[in-house]
Amino acid sequence: MTPLLTSRTAFTTASPWVIALAFVALLMLIATVCYPFGYDQAVFSTAGEMIRRGAVPYRDFLDTKPPIIFYIYAAALGIFGHHEWSPHALDILYQCAAAFYFFRILRREFSRDISLIAVSLTLILYAGSGFWMTAQAESFAILPSLLLADATMRAVEVPTKANYYGLLAGAAAVMLLLLKFTFVFGAIAAIAFVFWFAQMESKPKWRFAVGFLMSSLLLAAASVIALWRMDALERFLQSLAWLSGYAAIIPAQHSLIEEIFLVFPERVVYSMSISFLVLAAWGVAGWIRGKDRAPLPTLLLLTFLFQLFGILVERKIEFPYQYTRALWAITPFMALGLTELIRKLVKLGKSSRIGIILWVVCVPCVLLLSPLPRIFTQSIPWTRIALEHDDAAAEVQRRIPDYFSEEDRQVANYLRSTMKASDQLFFWGNDVAIYFFAHKLPSTICLTATPLRTAFTPPEWKATLLHQLADAPPKYFVVEFGDARPYITGSVQDSYQALLAWPELNTFLQNDYVNDTTFRHFHIFSRVIAR
């Protein structure tokens, strides 16, 4: 297939500046190995260590995510060891594989430069999003998303194998579903493309749909059976009901209308910067005006829009990492806009003084006034901190005061100095990194306190926790305070207040434990021998 817009907006071979951009993208991606834990990475790492020791999600610990992310983290820690950088090391390899695959897909319809620019911008936007935003479930969604897009495109190109490619697309859809339920909107985009936009006869469309349905149902059924055999199905189904309550929580400072029409557009712009958004819009407009109606750009644009809609459905639109699921699909249009902009600037610079003025004055001003410097320099301070062996946790807490990263380490170091190898630890709060850095694992279903603190928590979960604590009382009981998260729990109470409001758990603590010490936002209680 002829590369899209090759003769008009792209170069026939890779240009030096495009290669330089790809090199910058790779350096930025490699630098993410220096990123510290965010809240989610700490949760996933602790759960990953539990899985490495035989734990099963939902049966042995509770969290709000589908199970695959925990197994990915278990693999990272198994390969690279018990380090804060291990998940990022695996993520770097994963993103490199995804970038190569994305490039191969794009080269079927785009020029070499457009493809390489798009892949580079994907990596730059990802690595430049910051330490909190990487190695998330959204990060690992890119490979199954690419498989879904590739299988869909090949079904259009080779209709005689539409059923086979439908099977692959269905498998990719289930992988996305097991990473996060709302990723399924990528699969909806693929089906919509095949039935309403692809130039295919009716029979291949239905063969694709049947193959898609068969593989997705079989794999979904296999997942359910696996959960049932591991005695985790009942609690998994309860977690689905819990998630419906969680999704209904809207931050108190915004109404639903404000969330959709003010916060959501602002977050979309923030995730890619106004500069890249303008380039993407320019690229889309140029593609719409052009005579070439290649199918891949249509599928990419549909995927971008449907995945954005999935964020709205999830109703957690304030979290910037959510947008990673969609941004990769819009970067080819950014690449089209960027090459068109450079072509016009080069032409103006050769033909008039206005072009020279644009290059010398306007372009640097646009770069300085846009969020691009924030994106391109995101990894620099963390790399410096790592090279100079400074305290990254202290810098995290300085930037995000309500995430007690430095205190996590202080509490963990204290516990490591006082606990024996056989001593157990129970943590009640949000910042679960204490387990990871203390080299301890939860001995109850409580990973973080969040699932057990809401008004819609199943009573059985609380009963199970109390029973596990009574059967094997831990040596230390750590409680976090000042960690209220109304947008997660639907309550203004912090973890300590929630404990005091739970009579049975409070009684357990008061009867068997005394205050050992307090580290700023963490009470540490030690168990006393019953009289």
Side-chain angles (χ1 to χ4, degrees), residues 496-514:
Y496 187 54
Q497 291 169 331
L499 183 149
L500 295 177
W502 183 358
E504 294 85 356
L505 186 60
N506 186 33
T507 299
F508 174 81
L509 178 64
Q510 298 301 325
N511 287 348
D512 292 349
Y513 291 83
V514 294

Side-chain angles (χ1 to χ4, degrees), residues 3 5 19 121 161 208 279 329 348 393 490:
L5 303 178
I19 296 174
L121 291 181
K161 295 185 177 181
F208 176 85
L279 289 175
L348 281 172

